[in-house]
Each structure stands twice: as C-alpha cells, then as structure tokens.
Amino acid sequence: MAEKSKVIFTTLLIEKSPQALPLGAACVASAVKHSPLTKDIADVSLVPFCKEDSEFIKHSATDDDAASFMASELLKHNPAIVGFSIFVWNRIVLEKTAAVLKSHGVKCICGGPEVTADPSSFTGFEKAIGGEGEYSIPHIVYEILTGKKTAPSSEEKNYEDLESPYLDGTLDPSEFEGALWELARGCPFKCSYCYESKGEKKVRMFPMERIEKELELFAKKKVPQVFVLDPTYNANKNRAIELINKIAKKTPDTFYYFEARAEFIDRQLAHAFTKIPCSLQIGLQSADPNVLNLVNRPFNKAAFLKGINCLNQEGAVFGLDVIYGLPGDSLAGFKNSVDFAISQYPNNLELFCLSVLPGTDLHDRAESLKLVWESHPPYHIIHTDKFTNEDIKKAEGIAKACNVFYNDGRAVPWFNSILHALHMKASEFFVFFYKYMVSHNIPSDCREHREIEKLQIQFITDIFTQRKMERMIPLAQDIISFNGAVSRKIDTGKSETVQLHYPAEYIDSEYAMDLQFFVKNVQKRPSKFTT
C-alpha cells in the first residue's frame, strides 16, 4: 500500500479557550479523514497555533516573524497540503504563512468565514473554498494528491453524513477546558452585518443521535463549560426544552452558554433555562427600531421586554449585546441603547464596534448608507454621516468602562440602585468612569475582581463626595463589598469575611435597593458577614 500524503489543517487562535478552539479546521479535518475519496491516501492532522502560546509570542514580533515561525513548524511535518481556516483576526498572518509554505512547494488551500465572504480576494492559495468545507474540500484534496478530477455530489447536504471531530478524536475538549458545540447551521434572520445575510434563510439541525453522543463524551471528560453554536437556540421552543432536559440529565455540572432571541422566550422556556447551569446571550444591538430596520434586523420591543421579564422573574442569567456605529445611529442613540439595556438588569453588557464584513449585505450597501470603514481586518467602522470618528472613540470609551466596571466588576445586583441614587443614566456614568480610568492609568483589561472592587468603591466614594452625598457612602461601600464577597464565593467556593457598616441582613434585602430610603430609616451598626 502506497504511503499516505501528509495533509495538515491549521488556524491561528486568539487564545486557548473553549470559545476559540479550532472547530472549523477540525470539522474539515474529520471530513477528509473519513471521506471514501481521501481516507486511504491522506494522513490528516490538526495543527493549530495560538497567539497566547509562549513559543508563538517569542517568535511573533511582527506578522512576518509569526508567519515564518508557523511555516517552519508546519514544514517539520513534511506536508503535501496545508489547509487554513481564516477569520477576520488571522487573515494577514495566515496569508503570509501560506506564501512561505508555497515557496517550499507546499500546496495551500483555505476556507472559513473570511474566505466565504470573498473567495476571489484570496489569490495566494491553490484553492479558496467558500461555504461548508466538509463537502468540497475532500474532493479538492483528492484532486491535488492524485491529479484526477472528481464530480462533487449534487445531493442535498445531510448532516447525518458528517463525522463529529469530538467523537473521532480530532478535537479534545479537555485540551481547551471546554467545547464549542455545534447544534445547527444557518439562521432564520438575515441581519445585514452578519455573514449569514446572504445565505439561505434556512436552519439545518444536526441529528439528535450525534448530539447525544457528544453529550456523553462531554460527561465522560467532565467538560466544565460548553459554548453552544446555534445563532437562535430557541427558534424551536420544543427542541430547545428537549435538549435542556438531556443536558440536565447527562451533564448537570457543565456550564452552558446559549445565544437566544428574547422575543421567543416565554415563562416555560425561561424556567427551563434555570434547570441547568447556563447563561444566555441576547442580541439587542440597538434599542431604536429605525436603526435596526436599516440593517434588516426585526425588533418587537414589547415582545423583547416580555421575554426579558420572564427571564428576570425566573432568575435566569442573561447578557445583552449592543453595537455602536450602526447606520442611522448616533452617539446619543447609542447611549440610549446602553441605558435601555442596563435597565433590563443583564448579567453582562457587551458593547461592540460595527464591522463592515466583506461578503455581507451591509458591505454591499455601505456606501449608500454613508459608512466609512477600515479596508483591512477587523473592518471596523471609522465614521458615518451621524457618528463621527470622535464619537466612535467616545463610544469605545463607554464600552471599556462598561466592561471593567459592570461586567468584570460583577455589578448587576446593585448598579441600577447606585444610578437611581445619583439620578444618573448608565451611559453618563460610564463616561465619567472612563475619564477616571484614563486619569488614573487603569488598563481596560483589568480583570482581577478584588482589584476592580477597590476601584468601584473608590470611584463611588469620589462621585458621591462630589455630589455632597457623603451619607450614602458607607451604604454604597457595604453593598459593593457584600455582593462582591458573595460572587467570589460562588466563583471560587472559598469563604471570606467582610466588615460592614450596617447589619448584613439589611444589606441583603430589598431595602438596600433604595439608598436614600435606607440611610433615612436604618441605623448604622457595624457587623461582620461571612460568605
């Protein structure tokens, strides 16, 4: 039997985490491993790189250095073909890596979201493949290795025929301390800024038999967290609840992250989400229906509020997303969206700059919508007719402040109470805190919660003092310290004791939601609280 040719699939990850594991490259590698065309002629392996790895950092002072390092590592395997999974954040380095490999006679092919958006722009590769690579890349690998042409099947794509990269061992979730779990592809919505904007308005589900086997694998490996890849997990409520029940039975200790539409959530589904450790991420994007209409994103505010109310009443954990720089929006409009989002008590609020991605409907209409954006990845908006470049920078500051103070600061239990006492909107608060960050040289990647808690207490003390609200400072400090200790106990399991100015039972009550009422009616009495 002839020796198999080495075929490598690779990508460059931002970080080594469940969210960033090389699922796309792994799926294609599995397909080539098992395809009747290639299984006997290709020796397939997955060789991803990560920007956080010490060796990569040591050799990546520039993109050229990084490409040289990656190419030298790949050449050690003596590959005949290298397939690249390309995204917005790694395109430049991977194109340079392919150029080095080509100079050594290696055939390079590519796929992934960035390629699907505009295959013709990838001129440095033997083949640039758009769409779902599992169906086309085995044919391309076969043709490159044998020199013979194949006739791709015209049958409708069937996910029952696809191998799971987890089940065949191509991808080990233990290596990444979690998993990206693909339940479906496609989206019933066609938001203009998304890669799905030009695809079929169709959702195709992976078979439940495969899903159950992957669940069993996650249970066997004790996978701690799973990020679910299904852009509208709750589009089919019955299937969503059925799967939650299976998750609860097979992996009760694993934490799951879902993407969902608030408009489709009722009490039954909200209650189901409380039966497993999980969090939902919900795309608001903007609170202005006119702005959302310009990007073809339907928004029923009444239904949205009803769904969020169900989540809050049932105690489900959820976060919201908002985008700045959308066509038709302004800095004032973005601030209104931030204020609306915070008023819904999300566990986290992610604020993103709009990217005008090649191959999307928004990219096609960008000039008519008066958008100016970066010509290189990540294609961020520079300005619009209503959102100046200076406004974009201000929105970015709000995003950084929100991430440090609200998200990483775990402020959701008490943040709106502080705003109410200050008679201040959330966006205004974040503007002030960002100025504080800049003046005190506080990095936007400040992550350690105890350190952030100190910042929160100092900032709140300063702003209450400026507004001559000193009476409320001890209470505010207690609320922040109490909730911080509780959150760390939940996070780490370690107990700690905090010193309070007021009795702990009052701090942990609805009275503390109204600071002005509290200080008028509750006497100070120093106490200790142990989580």
Side-chain angles (χ1 to χ4, degrees):
M1 187 176 181
E3 185 178 350
K4 293 182 179 181
S5 297
K6 189 69 179 178
V7 178
I8 294 175
F9 291 94
T10 188
T11 191
L12 176 59
L13 309 171
I14 293 177
E15 60 184 11
K16 195 165 188 178
S17 70
Q19 304 101 302
L21 61 77
L23 182 61
C27 286
V28 176
S30 291
V32 176
K33 278 183 183 180
H34 297 281
S35 170
L37 285 171
T38 51
K39 66 181 182 179
D40 294 326
I41 61 172
D43 176 13
V44 182
S45 60
L46 178 68
V47 184
F49 295 85
C50 177
K51 287 187 174 184
E52 289 185 343
D53 285 345
S54 58
E55 280 300 302
F56 184 88
I57 293 170
K58 187 163 60 174
H59 295 91
S60 61
T62 67
D63 287 344
D64 287 333
D65 291 336
S68 177
F69 168 70
M70 291 175 64
S72 66
E73 291 297 304
L74 292 168
L75 286 169
K76 291 177 181 177
H77 298 273
N78 194 30
I81 301 172
V82 174
F84 293 85
S85 182
I86 300 182
F87 296 82
V88 166
W89 60 83
N90 63 22
R91 174 173 180 167
I92 294 172
V93 173
L94 295 189
E95 284 183 315
K96 289 177 179 289
T97 303
V100 177
L101 291 174
K102 282 179 65 178
S103 70
H104 287 78
V106 179
K107 301 293 186 182
C108 296
I109 61 177
C110 63
E114 187 78 355
V115 181
T116 299
D118 188 9
S120 63
S121 69
F122 289 84
T123 56
F125 295 84
E126 190 83 9
K127 288 281 187 180
I129 305 100
E132 296 171 289
E134 299 103 315
Y135 298 99
S136 54
I137 290 179
H139 291 267
I140 291 166
V141 169
Y142 176 83
E143 291 174 4
I144 292 174
L145 294 181
T146 66
K148 301 175 183 178
K149 290 290 182 182
T150 66
S153 173
S154 59
E155 295 179 10
E156 186 172 345
K157 296 170 183 176
N158 185 353
Y159 289 165
E160 291 181 3
D161 299 332
L162 294 182
E163 296 289 336
S164 163
Y166 292 116
L167 297 178
D168 73 0
T170 300
L171 203 53
D172 183 357
S174 301
E175 185 180 344
F176 297 88
E177 298 182 349
L180 277 177
W181 192 27
E182 204 172 17
L183 303 182
R185 291 181 186 171
C187 182
F189 303 99
K190 297 300 164 194
C191 306
S192 298
Y193 47 79
C194 178
Y195 280 129
E196 294 284 352
S197 59
K198 290 185 176 181
E200 296 178 19
K201 197 171 182 178
K202 182 179 180 181
V203 177
R204 286 181 293 158
M205 307 288 187
F206 281 88
M208 191 60 75
E209 181 182 3
R210 164 174 162 160
I211 288 170
E212 289 189 12
K213 287 180 180 178
E214 288 174 330
L215 262 180
E216 290 166 0
L217 177 72
F218 296 162
K220 180 181 177 182
K221 289 184 171 287
K222 295 181 171 57
V223 173
Q225 53 184 330
V226 172
F227 291 78
V228 177
L229 290 182
D230 184 340
T232 313
Y233 174 75
N234 59 326
N236 182 324
K237 189 183 86 168
N238 291 335
R239 189 174 190 270
I241 292 175
E242 177 189 2
L243 190 49
I244 288 171
N245 290 335
K246 291 181 185 295
I247 288 170
K249 181 179 180 180
K250 295 179 183 292
T251 57
D253 299 321
T254 300
F255 196 97
Y256 285 80
Y257 298 85
F258 298 95
E259 293 179 67
R261 289 286 292 222
E263 293 92 326
F264 299 161
I265 293 173
D266 59 13
R267 288 295 290 269
Q268 182 186 13
L269 183 56
H271 181 71
F273 280 120
T274 67
K275 297 302 179 183
I276 60 173
C278 74
S279 175
L280 284 65
Q281 200 65 25
I282 295 168
L284 171 62
Q285 318 310 7
S286 172
D288 186 339
N290 295 321
V291 169
L292 293 174
N293 283 338
L294 286 174
V295 291
N296 195 33
R297 183 175 179 85
F299 179 59
N300 182 326
K301 191 170 185 178
F304 181 93
L305 289 170
K306 184 177 179 181
I308 295 295
N309 187 51
C310 288
L311 292 174
N312 279 322
Q313 288 182 347
E314 291 294 332
V317 177
F318 70 93
L320 296 175
D321 297 335
V322 172
I323 299 174
Y324 58 90
L326 288 167
D329 206 359
S330 63
L331 180 60
F334 168 67
K335 287 180 177 180
N336 287 337
S337 296
V338 170
D339 297 337
F340 174 78
I342 288 291
S343 72
Q344 304 308 306
Y345 292 85
N347 188 63
N348 63 286
L349 175 58
E350 305 297 335
L351 305 176
F352 299 100
C353 181
L354 176 67
S355 288
V356 183
L357 300 171
T360 62
D361 175 65
L362 183 66
H363 187 274
D364 291 350
R365 296 189 294 122
E367 290 188 17
S368 66
L369 291 170
K370 300 180 180 178
L371 308 182
V372 177
W373 68 99
E374 298 169 340
S375 60
H376 52 82
Y379 311 110
H380 280 160
I381 200 78
I382 296 173
H383 66 81
T384 75
D385 58 332
K386 295 183 178 180
F387 225 123
T388 67
N389 180 247
E390 189 61 31
D391 288 343
I392 293 291
K393 292 177 181 177
K394 290 178 180 177
E396 183 182 2
I398 291 172
K400 290 178 178 178
C402 176
N403 199 44
V404 172
F405 194 98
Y406 189 82
N407 296 341
D408 292 340
R410 308 175 191 177
V412 60
W414 49 265
F415 188 64
N416 279 300
S417 300
I418 295 291
L419 293 181
H420 178 73
L422 290 167
H423 301 289
M424 184 182 285
K425 292 181 178 179
S427 57
E428 182 186 2
F429 183 96
F430 291 139
V431 168
F432 277 105
F433 184 67
Y434 183 65
K435 290 178 181 177
Y436 182 85
M437 288 175 62
V438 172
S439 65
H440 289 73
N441 296 315
I442 298 166
S444 57
D445 60 351
C446 178
R447 299 287 179 181
E448 214 287 314
H449 184 249
R450 288 180 185 275
E451 292 303 310
I452 296 175
E453 185 179 285
K454 291 177 184 177
L455 289 174
Q456 290 170 328
I457 290 174
Q458 185 58 58
F459 179 70
I460 293 296
T461 299
D462 288 354
I463 199 168
F464 274 39
T465 301
Q466 291 167 16
R467 298 194 171 209
K468 303 189 185 305
M469 299 167 60
E470 290 89 343
R471 281 188 68 198
M472 296 186 188
I473 290 174
L475 172 59
Q477 293 174 344
D478 281 4
I479 292 171
I480 296 171
S481 298
F482 177 92
N483 284 283
V486 170
S487 73
R488 287 191 294 273
K489 173 64 181 295
I490 294 171
D491 186 34
T492 67
K494 296 180 180 178
S495 294
E496 58 183 272
T497 300
V498 293
Q499 183 71 46
L500 303 173
H501 300 88
Y502 291 91
E505 62 267 25
Y506 290 120
I507 297 298
D508 186 27
S509 73
E510 61 182 25
Y511 297 121
M513 297 179 69
D514 188 332
L515 274 65
Q516 189 171 17
F517 174 85
F518 190 103
V519 297
K520 282 183 178 180
N521 293 278
V522 179
Q523 293 293 319
K524 280 186 184 179
R525 192 176 77 235
S527 66
K528 290 184 179 180
F529 170 71
T530 301
T531 56

